[in-house]
Amino acid sequence: MRRHGRQPRGGRQPLRLRAFLLAAAILALAWDAGSLVRRTRRGPWRVEVAGESMVPTLRPGDWLLVDPTAARWPRRGAFVVVREPGSDLIVVKRLAGRPGDRVARGDGPPMVLGAAEAWLASDAPGSAVDSRHYGPVDVDRLLGRVALRYGARGRFGRVR
Amino acid sequence: MSRLTSWLRPTTIAHAHCDIPCGIYDPADAVLAARTVARMVELIGKLPEGATSVADRNTFARCVAVKEQHAEKVKLEVAEIWSDYFKPEHLAAFPDLHTKVWALLKLAGKCKQTVDAQAAADLEAATKEFADMFWATKK
């Protein structure tokens, strides 16, 4: 049905032009989102675990998908990828204390974490290298938050 | 499939390392523990033959307990340095390292089982030799 004085919706533009405009819009959005991620990206977006300090939760050879845009310390218990103080190695640890938390430091009195500081821990018992060794970690060293494990085969899923 | 796997494989390693890196190994504790074992054997030998007083029995029990603990400590300290610190390249300089450590650990076991001054002296000597080998690799 046609009405006078109005463009019929979509009638004038050929289908090909509309498809092109739609594709262009999607591309522009994707590119924009991509550049945003690139700008806010701090570290790798997938890593392979090496070493046994996070056993049994993470095992050597696990493949992890990382949110590299995480700019603040996530919730307690989350796994984070950080640049280790001292060695500058890329390491994966569990977040045990967030800014403002009170943490026990060795035999000494407990300390309160600063506004940008977190306390990192290992899952494996024993003498793994973590905040017990290098103290609180500044948010500048945060490279990302572990989102998902996608390997090895049969180990797909969230890590908690 | 293998192409898919290689495409999915992360290119970055995230370390979850357990060792505090380098410089914390020290055989001094093992040497001290071996010395303690020898001293305990000496003290046990000094107790009068057939001593039955409560004080003597207490001393005896304490000496045996400390001997046990420190022989065990020798085992733990030596085994840790042997397994974690020593690398294949060190074996070139000390080809008999494995045999010597094996003998040392067995000696520590013997010191736990017996009150044997000779075994204790041998353990002390072997632990010192092990420490010397350790320090030689540091040069």
Side-chain angles (χ1 to χ4, degrees):
Chain A
M1 188 173 111
R2 284 196 166 195
R3 289 187 201 157
H4 287 284
R6 269 197 182 179
Q7 288 283 335
R9 303 196 76 206
R12 286 289 181 268
Q13 288 175 350
L15 195 63
R16 216 181 287 170
L17 179 64
R18 276 202 298 163
F20 173 77
L21 285 174
L22 190 68
I26 290 172
L27 269 175
L29 274 174
W31 190 83
D32 211 45
S35 66
L36 192 72
V37 167
R38 228 171 295 131
R39 260 207 306 280
T40 52
R41 182 172 155 174
R42 302 158 72 98
W45 58 278
R46 43 189 192 155
V47 294
E48 180 172 340
V49 178
E52 307 216 328
S53 76
M54 303 312 283
V55 165
T57 327
L58 300 179
R59 294 200 210 137
D62 278 359
W63 293 353
L64 307 176
L65 203 61
V66 178
D67 169 10
T69 65
R72 282 186 289 176
W73 293 113
R75 64 179 169 80
R76 251 169 255 118
F79 286 86
V80 286
V81 176
V82 297
R83 199 166 283 284
E84 187 178 74
S87 71
D88 277 349
L89 278 174
I90 294 176
V91 299
V92 58
K93 289 286 147 191
R94 196 193 275 274
L95 194 89
R98 301 192 73 250
D101 283 358
R102 185 181 285 266
V103 291
R105 185 172 194 173
D107 302 330
M111 63 172 292
V112 177
L113 295 172
E117 288 177 339
W119 195 261
L120 305 181
S122 311
D123 277 19
S127 62
V129 185
D130 50 36
S131 279
R132 286 172 299 175
H133 180 58
Y134 44 69
V137 180
D138 197 88
V139 76
D140 287 349
R141 295 196 159 265
L142 176 65
L143 296 175
R145 180 185 59 86
V146 175
L148 191 76
R149 168 170 49 215
Y150 68 100
R153 197 174 295 176
R155 286 178 61 74
F156 185 93
R158 287 179 64 183
V159 284
R160 54 183 87 200
Chain B
M1 189 60 208
S2 65
R3 189 186 291 180
L4 179 68
T5 317
S6 67
W7 183 72
L8 285 172
R9 176 181 292 280
T11 49
T12 313
I13 296 286
H15 295 271
H17 50 168
C18 284
D19 277 335
I20 295 171
C22 78
I24 60 145
Y25 296 104
D26 193 336
D29 284 354
V31 173
L32 195 64
R35 176 86 201 93
T36 309
V37 171
R39 177 75 180 139
M40 287 307 124
V41 171
E42 197 186 322
L43 288 181
I44 293 168
K46 275 185 182 164
L47 283 170
E49 196 69 31
T52 51
S53 75
V54 171
D56 282 346
R57 279 155 64 186
N58 182 56
T59 307
F60 175 71
R62 281 178 54 108
C63 287
V64 170
V66 172
K67 179 172 74 74
E68 290 276 326
Q69 279 168 12
H70 283 78
E72 187 64 26
K73 193 174 178 188
V74 172
K75 274 191 173 182
L76 291 176
E77 295 282 338
V78 169
E80 189 178 82
I81 294 174
W82 175 55
S83 68
D84 295 0
Y85 169 75
F86 278 103
K87 308 272 180 297
E89 55 263 33
H90 297 142
L91 274 183
F94 302 104
D96 53 353
L97 176 74
H98 294 343
T99 325
K100 281 189 169 161
V101 170
W102 191 30
L104 193 164
L105 298 178
K106 284 200 176 297
L107 261 177
K110 194 178 178 189
C111 287
K112 288 174 77 173
Q113 288 163 358
T114 60
V115 185
D116 184 336
Q118 188 56 51
D122 289 350
L123 179 69
E124 212 184 329
T127 312
K128 273 182 185 151
E129 193 187 351
F130 178 77
D132 289 343
M133 284 194 280
F134 171 85
W135 289 118
T137 63
K138 291 278 189 184
K139 280 171 190 161

